[in-house]
Amino acid sequence: MSGWDIADIPDLAGRTYIVTGANSGLGAVTTRALIGAGARVIMACRNEVKAHALANELGERAQVRRLDLADLGSVREFADGIDTADVLINNAGIMAVPHKRTADGFEMQIGTNHLGHFALTGLLLDRIRERVVTVSSGAHAIGKIDLADLNWEHRRYQRWAAYGQAKLANLMFTYELQRRLTAAGSTKLSLAAHPGYAATDLQSHTESVQDFLMSIGNRLFAQSAEMGALPTLYAATSAEVEPGAFYGPGGLRGLRGHPVRSGSSSASRDEMTARRLWELSEQLTKVNYSFGRK
């Protein structure tokens, strides 16, 4: 896959993709590239105004549907409106925000980044024909899953530790989903991707001086959102992907470059914790997965 780029995306005519957070940042780049290759994209977005602005630019194959991952009622309503799709891309995310709660009382980062996508995937899995791609981060390496206090109800909240936990949860979910699909005899794929250090508006919502500092870092060190989206696009479209694989930039310690197979922390490979996280996620979201042999 050396040097893989948007030009290497195959013809996607007749295929349908769901992209969460499709109206900005990596999601917008991903959506634009998929549309450019002929796909139909369901843009699953909380900000419908921004989503419609992009959809109007991209044409009739871009369709906007409201989805707020921080509200399980919205997740269920969105899922009820989907008939079928080839690929689900769990792209939306928040990073290092102040201590807040979702509509269902979850800590905002684990609730949005992991539990919202966990519920969405479970509700849609029987209608996804080919693969699920979940966007994680190199920051998963600083994460630790606290099963006794996943929602920061007893610990002093630390925004970056909470982000690391959520991104680690994304990756553990990807691996565990693949294990369960394989065990069920399903040919569906579960894959993960990360953008390295890409300049997007993800870094502008900490509501602190860190927004300013990260804006400087974006200008000086980050690669473009177009490059950052390549691992997701590779995972979502390439016929050469491996089941349960994690893809990210291949250069400068995984921070920039074209997509390659990425390594991940030993914690992300902890199968016992992954099973327990899965069970807890089902309990919290009240979404129980059903695996068919497809």
Side-chain angles (χ1 to χ4, degrees), residues 96-138:
V97 297
H99 194 192
K100 300 177 182 178
R101 297 269 163 198
T102 70
D104 303 279
F106 308 138
E107 184 274 315
M108 187 63 75
Q109 296 193 77
I110 197 73
T112 301
N113 296 353
H114 168 61
L115 292 171
H117 280 129
F118 179 92
L120 178 66
T121 305
L123 292 168
L124 290 179
L125 191 59
D126 63 344
R127 285 166 276 171
I128 301 299
R129 288 188 285 261
E130 184 182 310
R131 63 184 80 174
V132 176
V133 178
T134 301
V135 178
S136 182
S137 167

Side-chain angles (χ1 to χ4, degrees), residues 8 75 82 92-93 181 243 262 276-277:
D8 296 304
V75 174
I82 299 297
L181 287 167
S262 290
R276 293 174 64 195
L277 175 63

Side-chain angles (χ1 to χ4, degrees), residues 11-23:
D11 182 6
L12 302 178
R15 294 171 61 76
T16 298
Y17 286 74
I18 299 170
V19 181
T20 68
N23 59 278

Side-chain angles (χ1 to χ4, degrees), residues 179-222:
R179 286 189 288 266
R180 292 179 184 234
L181 287 167
T182 300
S186 175
T187 60
K188 296 177 186 178
L189 299 175
S190 174
L191 303 152
H194 77 90
Y197 186 7
T200 72
D201 59 3
L202 182 68
Q203 294 99 337
S204 62
H205 298 288
T206 69
E207 300 179 28
S208 73
V209 70
Q210 294 180 53
D211 289 347
F212 172 71
L213 296 175
M214 286 189 287
S215 72
I216 295 174
N218 280 355
R219 290 195 295 270
L220 294 178
F221 306 114

Side-chain angles (χ1 to χ4, degrees), residues 3 11 30 37 49 68 70 72 130 139 160 200 246:
D11 182 6
T30 298
V49 173
D68 183 353
L72 292 180
E130 184 182 310
W160 285 105
T200 72
F246 182 34

